[in-house]
Amino acid sequence: MALAAEVRKATPSRHTIRTYNLCFLGFGNVNRTLVELLLEREAELRDRYGIAFRIAGIASRRLGWIADPNGLDFRGAVDLKGHDFSRAANRPQNSPALAGSVKDWLSAARGNVLFEATSLNVETGQPAIDHIRAALNNGAHAITANKGPIVHAYRELRDLAAARGPRFLFESTVMDGVPIFSLFDQLPAIHLHGFHGILNSTTNVILGEMENGLTFDEALKKAQALGIAETDAAHDIDGWDAAAKTAALITVLMDVPIKLDQIEREGIRNLSAEAVRAARKEDRPYKLVCRAKKEDNKVTASVRPEQIPLADPMAKISGSSSYIYFETDIFPGLAITEENPGLYATAYGMLADFIRAVVP
Amino acid sequence: MALAAEVRKATPSRHTIRTYNLCFLGFGNVNRTLVELLLEREAELRDRYGIAFRIAGIASRRLGWIADPNGLDFRGAVDLKGHDFSRAANRPQNSPALAGSVKDWLSAARGNVLFEATSLNVETGQPAIDHIRAALNNGAHAITANKGPIVHAYRELRDLAAARGPRFLFESTVMDGVPIFSLFDQLPAIHLHGFHGILNSTTNVILGEMENGLTFDEALKKAQALGIAETDAAHDIDGWDAAAKTAALITVLMDVPIKLDQIEREGIRNLSAEAVRAARKEDRPYKLVCRAKKEDNKVTASVRPEQIPLADPMAKISGSSSYIYFETDIFPGLAITEENPGLYATAYGMLADFIRAVVP
């Protein structure tokens, strides 16, 4: 390493600062981390992008909702993680199903942006679809980390957003916040013929820990302790999460709507620790691989454990890292690797969507 | 692979078709391939993006220039590759240095877009900088595959474009047309701490062929025969091309202007075939590696042959493939691999820049 150059100041501040009321629906890890990230980046958002914001609403099915169009106070005494919503003055007593009241909540908060981070419903995509509809119909940008609405209602929500004006963005649904969908916005007139990759962290961590000698149950517990697997990890283990991501990529990037039952799906539940260790020993480790191929205007897709030769970059994707390889007419192989995503990766995708939505 | 879904029609046509006069400066492989790609994708550009175009001007220092605001005829009898510009009626006799007449040529062609693909001048970036200035001052979008203007005049040209209105785009300068710069447009509020990668195809092909038993000179000839290395390959072999790419990435993505002599640079000329083969045998092959690191607001950077352990994905980058690994505050490791770029890869980057420039 040789001579050095000085770093100049970042782009000077814009003169117009616009303030947005932000509403958070589902208040688990993703949205809590997003609030932390927003507060941490508050000065940069203002100085670089002319964006100011208020945390105007927080809601979850379990906790009910709170809203204040002038901004809830999360900077002072209120501990975000320990906050007890049940004491919120405007929480409906015995609140009805939240979906029905999302419109009221957004109106009460005068929300400009909805961050939808409820959990995946593989069967119907609900109630997240209704949440997004309510936001778009209320004039609020809808940003989701939930794959359900993409799998079950992508075209309707895309068209609704186009008709109503606000944006519908979902960069955090696949590979945390790595801008996969936005990348393809930057690949105009390209044709995606196929892709394969490793898109589910929980199963990748479990397979690695089984290779290291743990049983399936021990490995699952370790993934849960690391905060990677949910308490109910069935969606991951049985391949539903990976299948939903595969379907989202096909639906958006190949412009082909596909149902989850059209994707061949096999999880890792039936792999014994012995088989996993033997596969690693013979240098052909098991990975839960997502594949899609478009041929003669038909798409075929699968999610299943495959033994990967060491020469394939997928064999080296360990822990919570992920990987995708796109086959296109211009780039025969264009691959993206996300190594050891940080705590903020998924939340960052929603922050980036927010900036995309409001900065021209 | 299981059930299949039907592919629906692409997005319906827009109703407004806008026609752009395109001008090509430098008429080697890149711009010739770009014209072919444009003609091949003509219907798609019209139907999907509302873009029509005329090939209105072609110029090179050697051939002089031709221009027709109503479009030169490249669809019929004229063989693009065999075209003899010396017979063009409006070619200036004993043409003066082209740089001075670019404005006249663009005016004669009524050019809306300049595709600048002259060869790299590592010392000054000229005359490409003047070409781009002329285009921007003439109200034409300036799209370049030439790293010189980025290394020597990025901020001036960026600010000139912002002041005058047309776009200044340069996606094809690094990793062919893979949207590296556009990717970072999609990573708002992220901080790039460092990167490393393999960005020069010629040296990568030569090193691979030396591993396979060729001498340096034989390997160079093979790279030239493949159309990867220029007739004068010194820029590649001595690391200038890789250094210019490294400087372009630092300048644009780290927002730190850096001069080429601030990058530690060593090419592959001093590597013996024996050393290259021995390194491969001990599973630590030589690669020409670009590195940059930003610490305490200083950037240090290098381009030099390094022995890469097999566990590093760089060890697997063979032939004309390329690779870059970004370290950011959100994604500790975000890597992009371009495998075996097709004939169209670089030209595609310019086509994509054209679409970016004119589609809102």
Side-chain angles (χ1 to χ4, degrees):
Chain A
M1 299 290 172
L3 296 166
E6 264 184 52
V7 176
R8 290 209 210 160
K9 294 276 181 193
T11 318
S13 315
R14 301 182 186 200
H15 295 288
T16 316
I17 307 285
R18 289 200 168 76
T19 302
Y20 299 88
N21 276 9
L22 309 185
C23 292
F24 301 81
L25 181 42
F27 212 59
N29 278 338
V30 171
N31 263 342
R32 284 172 195 264
T33 309
L34 175 58
V35 170
E36 284 174 29
L37 181 61
L38 281 160
L39 297 176
E40 186 195 295
R41 301 290 167 104
E42 193 165 15
E44 182 175 2
L45 289 174
R46 190 187 54 237
D47 296 344
R48 272 186 75 176
Y49 300 100
I51 294 173
F53 62 84
R54 298 186 197 98
I55 310 292
I58 295 180
S60 79
R61 191 151 35 174
R62 194 160 56 86
L63 301 166
W65 57 262
I66 53 175
D68 185 339
N70 299 311
L72 305 163
D73 179 17
F74 278 108
R75 281 163 197 78
V78 180
D79 172 8
L80 193 63
K81 286 192 168 146
H83 192 72
D84 180 4
F85 292 102
S86 66
R87 283 183 292 176
N90 50 0
R91 178 188 178 235
Q93 296 299 310
N94 300 316
S95 62
L98 189 64
S101 59
V102 165
K103 189 182 182 311
D104 297 338
W105 168 63
L106 285 171
S107 298
R110 287 189 214 130
N112 303 116
V113 182
L114 172 69
F115 294 103
E116 213 285 340
T118 59
S119 52
L120 174 63
N121 174 334
V122 290
E123 283 84 20
T124 67
Q126 288 290 20
I129 295 170
D130 284 338
H131 300 159
I132 292 167
R133 278 193 198 118
L136 295 173
N137 283 321
N138 231 37
H141 301 295
I143 293 168
T144 188
N146 187 327
K147 294 163 286 289
I150 310 298
V151 173
H152 292 282
Y154 170 65
R155 290 189 172 198
E156 180 215 318
L157 297 171
R158 177 195 68 184
D159 295 345
L160 179 62
R164 305 292 301 218
R167 301 289 301 275
F168 167 48
L169 297 169
F170 42 83
E171 195 57 272
S172 287
T173 54
V174 179
M175 273 181 108
D176 308 307
V178 174
I180 298 294
F181 297 106
S182 302
L183 178 75
F184 274 80
D185 287 341
Q186 299 299 328
L187 289 169
I190 213 164
H191 302 102
L192 178 59
H193 296 320
F195 63 82
H196 62 265
I198 297 174
L199 299 174
N200 179 266
S201 296
T202 300
T203 48
N204 208 49
V205 167
I206 290 174
L207 290 171
E209 293 298 335
M210 286 165 79
E211 288 170 0
N212 292 338
L214 299 193
T215 65
F216 178 89
D217 289 335
E218 290 165 345
L220 171 58
K221 277 197 190 104
K222 184 148 180 184
Q224 284 166 334
L226 289 170
I228 291 165
E230 299 292 324
T231 312
D232 176 4
H235 276 178
D236 294 320
I237 293 162
D238 293 327
W240 286 109
D241 174 81
K245 286 170 175 162
T246 303
L249 291 170
I250 293 168
T251 301
V252 179
L253 301 182
M254 292 179 164
D255 199 28
V256 178
I258 189 167
K259 291 189 162 48
L260 284 184
D261 63 10
Q262 294 174 300
I263 297 176
E264 184 180 314
R265 182 186 48 77
E266 182 189 338
I268 64 164
R269 206 180 281 276
N270 297 325
L271 288 181
S272 70
E274 291 68 35
V276 169
R277 282 192 281 274
R280 170 59 71 179
K281 244 180 216 157
E282 66 186 51
D283 281 346
R284 296 186 65 243
Y286 272 111
K287 296 287 175 187
L288 187 67
V289 177
C290 307
R291 291 190 188 272
K293 195 92 187 170
K294 188 173 171 178
E295 275 174 324
D296 299 330
N297 270 2
K298 300 268 180 190
V299 173
T300 48
S302 64
V303 170
R304 64 185 165 204
E306 294 183 20
Q307 284 191 260
I308 306 297
L310 282 194
D312 187 316
M314 286 199 291
K316 294 232 164 62
I317 302 303
S318 64
S320 62
S321 299
S322 55
Y323 176 86
I324 190 149
Y325 182 103
F326 292 108
E327 298 157 49
T328 77
D329 54 345
I330 299 288
F331 304 106
L334 185 61
I336 298 177
T337 311
E338 181 193 20
E339 277 192 16
N340 309 311
L343 185 67
Y344 282 162
T346 301
Y348 169 79
M350 302 184 88
L351 171 66
D353 276 345
F354 170 38
I355 299 173
R356 282 179 202 114
V358 304
V359 175
Chain B
M1 298 288 172
L3 295 166
E6 264 183 50
V7 175
R8 291 210 210 159
K9 293 276 179 194
T11 318
S13 315
R14 300 182 185 201
H15 296 287
T16 316
I17 307 285
R18 288 199 171 77
T19 302
Y20 299 89
N21 276 9
L22 309 185
C23 293
F24 301 81
L25 181 42
F27 211 60
N29 277 338
V30 171
N31 263 343
R32 283 174 195 263
T33 309
L34 175 57
V35 170
E36 283 173 29
L37 182 61
L38 280 159
L39 296 176
E40 185 195 296
R41 301 288 167 104
E42 193 165 15
E44 182 174 2
L45 289 174
R46 191 187 54 237
D47 296 346
R48 270 185 78 175
Y49 300 100
I51 294 173
F53 62 83
R54 299 187 197 97
I55 310 291
I58 295 181
S60 80
R61 190 151 36 174
R62 196 161 54 87
L63 301 167
W65 56 263
I66 53 175
D68 185 338
N70 298 314
L72 304 163
D73 180 16
F74 279 106
R75 284 165 197 75
V78 180
D79 173 7
L80 192 62
K81 286 192 170 145
H83 192 71
D84 180 4
F85 292 101
S86 66
R87 284 184 291 178
N90 50 0
R91 180 185 177 236
Q93 295 299 309
N94 301 315
S95 62
L98 188 65
S101 60
V102 165
K103 189 183 182 312
D104 297 338
W105 168 63
L106 285 171
S107 297
R110 286 187 216 134
N112 303 117
V113 182
L114 172 69
F115 294 103
E116 214 286 340
T118 60
S119 53
L120 174 63
N121 175 335
V122 290
E123 284 82 20
T124 68
Q126 288 290 19
I129 295 169
D130 284 338
H131 300 161
I132 292 167
R133 279 193 197 118
L136 296 173
N137 283 323
N138 232 36
H141 300 296
I143 293 170
T144 189
N146 188 327
K147 294 163 285 289
I150 311 298
V151 173
H152 292 281
Y154 170 63
R155 289 187 174 201
E156 181 215 318
L157 296 172
R158 176 194 68 185
D159 295 346
L160 179 62
R164 305 292 301 218
R167 302 288 302 276
F168 167 48
L169 297 170
F170 42 83
E171 194 57 271
S172 287
T173 55
V174 179
M175 274 180 106
D176 307 308
V178 174
I180 298 294
F181 297 105
S182 302
L183 177 74
F184 274 79
D185 286 343
Q186 299 299 327
L187 289 169
I190 213 164
H191 301 101
L192 178 59
H193 296 320
F195 62 82
H196 62 264
I198 296 174
L199 299 175
N200 179 266
S201 296
T202 300
T203 48
N204 209 48
V205 166
I206 290 174
L207 290 172
E209 293 299 334
M210 286 167 78
E211 288 170 0
N212 292 338
L214 299 193
T215 65
F216 178 89
D217 289 334
E218 290 165 345
L220 171 58
K221 279 197 189 103
K222 185 147 179 184
Q224 285 166 334
L226 289 169
I228 291 165
E230 299 293 323
T231 311
D232 177 3
H235 276 176
D236 294 320
I237 292 162
D238 293 328
W240 286 110
D241 174 81
K245 285 169 176 164
T246 304
L249 291 170
I250 292 168
T251 301
V252 179
L253 300 182
M254 291 179 164
D255 200 28
V256 178
I258 189 167
K259 291 187 162 48
L260 285 184
D261 63 10
Q262 294 175 302
I263 297 176
E264 184 181 313
R265 183 186 47 77
E266 182 189 338
I268 63 164
R269 206 180 281 276
N270 296 324
L271 287 180
S272 70
E274 291 68 35
V276 169
R277 283 192 280 275
R280 170 59 72 181
K281 243 179 215 157
E282 66 186 49
D283 282 347
R284 296 185 67 241
Y286 272 111
K287 296 287 174 187
L288 186 68
V289 177
C290 307
R291 290 189 188 272
K293 195 90 186 170
K294 188 172 173 180
E295 274 173 326
D296 299 331
N297 270 2
K298 300 269 181 189
V299 173
T300 49
S302 64
V303 170
R304 63 184 166 204
E306 295 184 20
Q307 284 191 260
I308 306 298
L310 282 194
D312 188 318
M314 285 198 291
K316 294 233 164 63
I317 302 304
S318 64
S320 62
S321 299
S322 55
Y323 175 85
I324 190 149
Y325 182 103
F326 293 108
E327 298 158 48
T328 77
D329 55 343
I330 299 289
F331 304 107
L334 185 61
I336 299 178
T337 311
E338 181 194 18
E339 277 191 17
N340 309 313
L343 184 67
Y344 282 163
T346 302
Y348 170 78
M350 301 185 88
L351 171 66
D353 276 345
F354 170 38
I355 299 173
R356 282 180 201 113
V358 303
V359 175

